[in-house]
Amino acid sequence: MDGRIKDKTGLVMPVGSIIPFAGQTVPEGWLLCNGAVVRSDIYPDLFAVLGTHWGSGNGQGTFNLPDLRGHFLRGRDAGKGKDPDAASRTNLSGDVVGDKVGSYQNYEFRRHTHGATATTSFPRVAGGAGDNSGIPFDNSYACGCETNSTNITTSVSLSEEGGEESRPINAYVDYIIKY
């Protein structure tokens, strides 16, 4: 036994299967998912599966391999409603293609809000009548019964936190595709 898992047909992975790979050298029968342009006559079985979903290469008997460098994989929504932006997904050229295998989405932060609290204090007013509550008042009134209204402007700034992207804890692998 050579350490490889086999099913009844001797094949484990169908052509077009993508797996994470932790090795340094891509094994025989697999290609790196790096967006390379490859010829359909050299990889006819893979072209039969992929077509030009991942790009049409130079348009003359070629096609692109998936380019999964720096990407997380996501299962196609297929009408489930888990991806609210499924209809706006694009291909490598940036054309909107919708909910299709081979489409991409750019990064995005989920909409959220931040709370802020501002505290303003007034100095106590020295001398004169009044209730000494700390609200400024006009000392010219003998009884101290009337106060002037005061416009207060307070600015609040929120400090920036985080890095350049939203991401879960992760580890690098190469993605490879069976041909």
Side-chain angles (χ1 to χ4, degrees):
M1 201 70 186
D2 63 4
R4 296 179 192 215
I5 300 170
K6 293 184 169 84
D7 65 11
K8 291 180 182 180
T9 66
L11 303 172
V12 174
M13 297 289 206
V15 170
S17 294
I18 294 174
I19 63 168
F21 182 70
Q24 297 298 314
T25 305
V26 177
E28 186 178 330
W30 296 81
L31 295 169
L32 193 59
C33 292
N34 62 0
V37 175
V38 295
R39 293 178 43 153
S40 56
D41 60 343
I42 295 176
Y43 301 103
D45 294 338
L46 186 57
F47 180 71
V49 171
L50 297 184
T52 58
H53 288 299
W54 298 89
S56 58
N58 66 12
Q60 299 175 352
T62 61
F63 64 104
N64 288 85
L65 296 176
D67 190 351
L68 301 178
R69 296 172 293 179
H71 286 75
F72 291 95
L73 298 182
R74 180 178 189 168
R76 187 170 68 91
D77 189 72
K80 179 69 175 170
K82 296 289 186 180
D83 181 358
D85 299 319
S88 64
R89 295 179 65 89
T90 64
N91 62 16
L92 281 174
S93 302
D95 302 322
V96 174
V97 295
D99 187 15
K100 296 191 184 308
V101 170
S103 63
Y104 293 88
Q105 282 177 318
N106 205 353
Y107 67 89
E108 183 174 86
F109 262 136
R110 183 175 180 150
R111 186 179 307 113
H112 63 283
T113 59
H114 293 267
T117 303
T119 304
T120 303
S121 60
F122 299 98
R124 292 192 175 266
V125 178
D131 66 1
N132 208 19
S133 66
I135 304 295
F137 63 91
D138 185 345
N139 277 339
S140 66
Y141 295 100
C143 73
C145 301
E146 296 187 35
T147 62
N148 288 333
S149 62
T150 304
N151 292 326
I152 302 166
T153 303
T154 303
S155 70
V156 176
S157 64
L158 299 174
S159 58
E160 184 178 88
E161 290 185 23
E164 298 298 318
E165 64 181 358
S166 293
R167 64 174 175 257
I169 295 171
N170 64 83
Y172 271 171
V173 294
D174 279 324
Y175 285 109
I176 57 176
I177 188 167
K178 181 73 177 146
Y179 67 84

